[in-house]
Amino acid sequence: MHTEADAMEAEVERFAGPAEAAGYRRLRHWLEQLYRAQMRRFIDTNFDSPLQLLTPDLARLAALGGFGRLDARIGRHLRDERLRRVFSFQSLYAGVPPARALAAYAVIAYMDTVAGVYFPRGGMHALPQAMADAAARAGADLRFGRDVVRLERSGNRVTAVVTADERIACDAVVLTPDLPVVHRLLGRAPRRPLRIRHAPSAVVLHAGTDRTWPELAHHTLSFGAAWHSTFDELTRTGELMSDPSLLITRPTATDPTLAPPGRHLHYVLAPCPNTDIGPDAAAWGELGPRYRDGVLRELERRGFDGIATAVEDETLVTPADWHGQGHAAGTPFSAAHTFAQTGPFRPRNLVRGTDNAVLAGCGTTPGVGVPTVLLSGKLAAARVTGRTAAAPAARRGHSALVTPEGTSS
Ligand SMILES: Cc1cc2nc3c(=O)[nH]c(=O)nc-3n(C[C@H](O)[C@H](O)[C@H](O)COP(=O)(O)OP(=O)(O)OC[C@H]3O[C@@H](n4cnc5c(N)ncnc54)[C@H](O)[C@@H]3O)c2cc1C
């Protein structure tokens, strides 16, 4: 994959011929239009009513085919099944198979393949570290490694956040854990007409190895031959993938200083069913190590010779771990982005019955993923300060939460 248009077009032509390369050009143009139609109005927005959707951008999105099905829409531009997969599998990030996802979710393929993927030198942790440093320079007092055990309330307001060893009085509180923890802390769950449908989960093997494989880029996707049945297993039948599609990441391809000389970092991510429909957290205790061995055997079979014996140090993360960290349905990917759980229909960032609590993070709007979660923080800040994100607040210590119509509570 190349993010630069000419380089990618040449690659598609080499791989699948000139007609597909022309299709790629058209697809790229469509992805750019789709992103422009969606970003401000549907993603970077605090929703207070579905009626807010009724804007000229909605008509623009409809005209672009955003409400059709993703795989069919990609298929209008590309005939080669292998290429179609490259530009449609991303809907799984949002927890929905390409055959059922709204075409609007091609916006993820836009971010992945057109806007591009960046890796901070020093590893992913360098990004939150830089943000924490900036916040500290601006006067924030950050306290790490402490569990919030409860919130103190007075009527409809949260008055303090309590950890094991301190009580921090507050004017307003922004809660970022997944929804089960948020609801436990608030002492109430909202009424919802339908049960939340959760995204599939993942097993991740982080491995320090004494060798690597030159064909591995920073990110490598190894698709199985199976496709629709794989999504069925992950989202309907709750079985482990019988012909797995795997993500292999090699951070040391970009930043070799992350490992000692002569050593390499890899992680293998295998999507798996969440614990609502698949094996439960207890079952993963025994299943996890067996599944790890099976994934490494499969990678050996796909040409990564000696991968199992190259592992010197490892951490295995399974749905049991996500469950243990308070994630609903044992998945770190939260509520799936079905139509009924997106935009104004996703759990809101305001909390009914509590006047000064706001949610941020992947369980609320706009949704799952690093860019969207960062936006959720911006949207939460706008609720607290009463300013739109475009006009940063000048006031301090103002604790009312404000909706876009300006009605503060
Ligand atoms: C394996 C994997 C790969 C991913 N790859 C990508 C990718 O390539 N691109 C992308 O955009 N997104 C990716 N994502 C998704 C992205 O990482 C998440 O959507 C995002 O990090 C979620 O952020 P969050 O703030 O909602 O939750 P988290 O990052 O889980 O943060 C919530 C925090 O709350 C803390 N917490 C919970 N309870 C308490 C408590 N009681 N007291 C105090 N603190 C508490 C937790 O410790 C945690 O630090 C990936 C996720 C995973 C798991």
Side-chain angles (χ1 to χ4, degrees):
M1 294 296 300
H2 305 272
T3 42
E4 203 271 313
D6 292 336
M8 186 61 192
E9 193 177 337
E11 189 69 37
V12 172
E13 179 158 352
R14 190 190 60 73
F15 179 74
E20 292 296 277
Y24 167 71
R25 270 281 176 194
R26 288 194 305 275
L27 172 66
R28 190 180 171 103
H29 178 62
W30 178 71
L31 290 174
E32 284 165 346
Q33 288 178 301
L34 197 71
Y35 176 76
R36 274 199 296 275
Q38 278 185 82
M39 190 56 188
R40 204 173 60 81
R41 188 73 68 180
F42 302 114
I43 300 176
D44 189 4
T45 291
N46 271 323
F47 284 104
D48 290 291
S49 155
L51 295 178
Q52 266 175 266
L53 287 174
L54 301 177
T55 68
D57 282 328
L58 184 72
R60 222 163 281 140
L61 188 58
L64 286 168
F67 296 103
R69 294 293 150 201
L70 177 65
D71 64 350
R73 199 72 211 183
I74 299 291
R76 285 195 180 197
H77 301 290
L78 298 169
R79 296 206 166 279
D80 188 303
E81 177 59 27
R82 298 166 302 172
L83 287 175
R84 288 185 187 187
R85 292 182 179 193
V86 167
F87 293 97
S88 63
F89 82 91
Q90 290 89 348
S91 68
L92 194 64
Y93 296 166
V96 190
R100 278 189 276 147
L102 289 178
Y105 279 106
V107 71
I108 312 176
Y110 168 86
M111 292 188 205
D112 245 17
T113 69
V114 179
V117 173
Y118 298 84
F119 184 71
R121 212 172 288 285
M124 283 302 291
H125 188 248
L127 180 64
Q129 187 62 55
M131 293 175 67
D133 291 346
R137 279 196 303 276
D141 173 8
L142 300 156
R143 304 183 195 181
F144 297 105
R146 301 178 202 194
D147 277 354
V148 174
V149 289
R150 68 190 169 83
L151 303 174
E152 273 181 22
R153 302 176 70 103
S154 169
N156 282 351
R157 297 182 70 80
V158 175
T159 49
V161 170
V162 182
T163 68
D165 50 14
E166 65 182 332
R167 174 189 180 278
I168 306 164
C170 65
D171 294 318
V173 62
V174 179
L175 302 164
T176 69
D178 202 6
L179 295 177
V181 177
V182 165
H183 295 154
R184 177 168 54 74
L185 290 173
L186 288 168
R188 64 190 76 173
R191 290 186 303 274
R192 248 185 105 81
L194 295 172
R195 245 183 104 211
I196 286 186
R197 215 185 154 106
H198 289 97
S201 186
V203 171
V204 187
L205 173 65
H206 297 269
T209 60
D210 62 4
R211 60 167 291 194
T212 190
W213 295 264
E215 64 271 36
L216 285 177
H218 188 115
H219 290 122
T220 302
L221 289 157
S222 174
F223 288 142
W227 197 244
H228 297 293
S229 59
T230 304
F231 291 109
D232 264 356
E233 288 164 345
L234 293 171
T235 63
R236 280 186 205 258
T237 63
E239 294 157 277
L240 298 177
M241 295 181 291
S242 45
D243 179 14
S245 284
L246 303 166
L247 165 67
I248 305 134
T249 300
R250 180 162 75 107
T252 37
T254 307
D255 185 353
T257 65
L258 293 172
R263 299 295 191 271
H264 310 269
L265 294 183
H266 296 91
Y267 80 68
V268 182
L269 187 157
C272 69
N274 64 42
T275 57
D276 278 349
I277 64 162
D280 64 16
W284 275 104
E286 182 264 333
L287 178 58
R290 239 182 335 117
Y291 190 57
R292 167 222 182 263
D293 293 347
V295 166
L296 289 182
R297 263 198 310 277
E298 180 62 21
L299 286 174
E300 293 259 2
R301 208 182 60 73
R302 293 185 189 180
F304 298 101
D305 295 332
I307 192 163
T309 51
V311 178
E312 293 187 322
D313 199 2
E314 67 176 88
T315 302
L316 182 69
V317 186
T318 74
D321 300 289
W322 308 123
H323 169 79
Q325 290 169 26
H327 289 286
T331 173
F333 305 112
S334 197
H337 280 266
T338 57
F339 183 70
Q341 296 181 170
T342 294
F345 311 113
R346 199 164 178 80
R348 294 179 77 196
N349 60 5
L350 292 180
V351 180
R352 194 188 294 273
T354 306
D355 291 345
N356 63 338
V358 197
L359 309 191
C362 60
T364 185
T365 52
V368 175
V370 171
T372 31
V373 162
L374 289 176
L375 284 175
S376 81
K378 183 172 112 172
L379 296 173
R383 293 292 200 192
V384 174
T385 62
R387 305 297 173 102
T388 61
R395 281 181 296 172
R396 277 169 178 267
H398 175 70
S399 66
L401 306 182
V402 182
T403 61
E405 294 86 37
T407 50
S408 60
S409 53

